[in-house]
Each structure stands twice: as structure tokens, then as C-alpha cells.
Amino acid sequence: MKTTTAAGRTWHFSHSIGRETAEHNGDVGGFMHPVDVAYAADGILFVLSRGFGHKPAFRDADVGKRIGKTTIDELHLGDFARDGFTWPTGIAISADGTVFCTDEYENNVSAFDPNGIVEFPEYDPDGESLFQWGESGAEPGQLSGPTGLTFDGDDNAVVVNSGNDRVQKFTREGRHLMGWGSHGSAEGQFDRPWGVTIDGEGCVYIADWGNSRVQKFTGEGDYLMTFGSNGQGNDLDHPASVAVDSEGDVYVTDWG
């Protein structure tokens, strides 16, 4: 067992979950280039797999692209949304348990039934999603390379638009509410932002990938603070994801 202590808190490594595979066999399953994970109630995890990146010679579709449903104790419950994306990137769960996913190539957000398990190797890329919203562009409500995704306390979707350096807020049905950000390195600007999370007070944290920092905003998009900079003080090198725990401590995946 590996034990890590930092800032007066201690973590004990327990176990890893999954293996490299495009299928599952009974209670054993795994993932294919997983890129994001969302935690649901009762110890359920939804894991988003990016897939093979091509159509395998032994299949008629990239069945590695999918959402896997498993428990934190590694009981694999099944998969859905096989080959239902092009470049799946971010995953989040709304208040009623619906699973949402961004596709940075298709510039849309898709919603899925969390219990809609499809047995391997079956798939229906045009029929598994409950609904989709989003279109390519830079106007308010349009998307360009959507990546990070989360839901706020009002069950609105907060979507990071990596391609046009902004953050937008939508209803879960896709109606545009507001947005903020532009390209640059000043306070409140972004350079290829990626991950997003919301803390218990409703503040929004954005992993500002290109600027090697994390920025914090109010739920209305007002700038609050920044931490981390490439080579200065609390160094970050292209952070990709960010999360906040119940005590307010911030966790960052430091991609570079």
C-alpha cells in the first residue's frame, strides 16, 4: 500500500480499476484510452473512453469509443454509446442522473440514459443518445472544441469551449444562458482551456491549459483569482483537469 501525506492530510492507495479492452466479460471490464470520469451515487463511476482512434480491422466500427459503467470496487456493470462519438472529451451527470458528454470534433453535447447498457459488441451510434445539442461556431450558444463539462447547483451545464477560449452556461436542454472569456493571458482570458469544476459555494474553476494556470470565477463569470504559472512559484505545465473536495482543497492533473 502506498501512503501519501501532504498539507496535513493522508491518502492511502487502495486499487486501480479496469484494464485495456474494448469489451467486457461478465463482471470484468475495462476501458480504451479513458479521458474522463464522473462519479454518481452509490459508488457508481462512468468512464469515458476515447477509443482506438480508428476502425479496428476486426470490427466494423470503433467500438472502443464508449461510456463504461462500473463500481468503485471494480464491478463492471456494462457499456453504452459505442461508436456514438468522434472525439469524446468530457463527461458529467445532471441532477436526475442523466449522463452528458462533449464531443470536441462534432461540437455538440449528447445525453444518455445511465441504465441504457448495450451488450458487446452491439451498438447504434444514431439511436442510443436521448438528445443532443450544440452547433459549430463562435456566436453565443455555439461551440468550438467543447471539452470540460459540469453541472452547477441549478442543474445548468457549464461547458468549456477550448477552440474559442471561453466558458458557456446552458440549461440541460441546451438553451444558452451566458458565457465569458476571450483569447489571451490576462485575468479572465484563456488559452485552450480544458477542465472545469464547481465548488460547494458555486465558484467555477477552469484549467487554463495554454496559460499553465487555474482560474477561479463566480458562477456568473466574474474573475476571482489565479494560481499556478509555468515556471513561476506554484508551477503548473499545461493543467488538464481540476476538482475541488468538500474541504475546499483543489486537485489538478498537471498534463505537462
Side-chain angles (χ1 to χ4, degrees):
M1 176 179 289
K2 181 178 180 180
T3 300
T4 302
T5 300
R9 302 178 64 186
T10 301
W11 295 265
H12 303 286
F13 173 79
S14 173
H15 62 283
S16 60
I17 298 173
R19 57 191 175 90
E20 184 180 4
T21 180
E23 60 185 289
H24 66 91
N25 180 12
D27 296 337
V28 179
F31 318 109
M32 182 59 62
H33 301 143
V35 292
D36 203 6
V37 61
Y39 181 77
D42 302 322
I44 301 296
L45 297 175
F46 290 93
V47 181
L48 179 61
S49 288
R50 188 87 160 183
F52 293 95
H54 58 87
K55 184 178 72 174
F58 52 90
R59 299 289 180 204
D60 58 357
D62 185 351
V63 293
K65 291 184 292 191
R66 69 194 193 281
I67 298 172
K69 183 178 181 180
T70 187
T71 71
I72 202 159
D73 295 320
E74 203 179 6
L75 171 62
H76 196 73
L77 303 175
D79 304 296
F80 54 91
R82 278 189 202 89
D83 201 41
F85 315 100
T86 302
W87 292 349
T89 307
I91 189 172
I93 302 171
S94 66
D96 67 353
T98 302
V99 179
F100 286 76
C101 180
T102 59
D103 189 316
E104 64 171 310
Y105 184 87
E106 301 295 341
N107 295 306
N108 63 20
V109 178
S110 299
F112 296 91
D113 178 355
N115 298 311
I117 302 301
V118 177
E119 293 298 322
F120 182 84
E122 297 301 318
Y123 69 97
D124 181 5
D126 298 319
E128 287 188 42
S129 65
L130 299 173
F131 57 88
Q132 294 179 335
W133 47 264
E135 62 177 4
S136 177
E139 296 299 316
Q142 295 180 325
L143 301 174
S144 178
T147 53
L149 170 69
T150 192
F151 284 88
D152 67 12
D154 295 322
D155 206 27
N156 295 317
V158 179
V159 184
V160 176
N161 288 232
S162 184
N164 51 25
D165 299 303
R166 65 180 177 181
V167 179
Q168 296 193 90
K169 185 183 293 188
F170 301 83
T171 66
R172 67 187 302 281
E173 293 81 16
R175 178 170 62 86
H176 181 253
L177 298 174
M178 62 167 296
W180 71 89
S182 60
H183 179 75
S185 58
E187 294 179 352
Q189 293 184 319
F190 303 109
D191 183 3
R192 301 290 293 182
W194 204 263
V196 58
T197 195
I198 298 177
D199 67 14
E201 298 179 348
C203 295
V204 181
Y205 296 74
I206 304 294
D208 191 0
W209 189 87
N211 285 318
S212 294
R213 65 186 180 183
V214 173
Q215 296 194 76
K216 180 180 179 181
F217 302 85
T218 68
E220 291 71 43
D222 297 321
Y223 172 83
L224 294 174
M225 64 167 290
T226 297
F227 65 87
S229 58
N230 196 350
Q232 301 178 21
N234 298 318
D235 295 350
L236 294 174
D237 186 358
H238 294 84
S241 294
V242 59
V244 181
D245 68 16
S246 60
E247 298 189 24
D249 289 335
V250 183
Y251 301 76
V252 182
T253 58
D254 199 2
W255 183 87

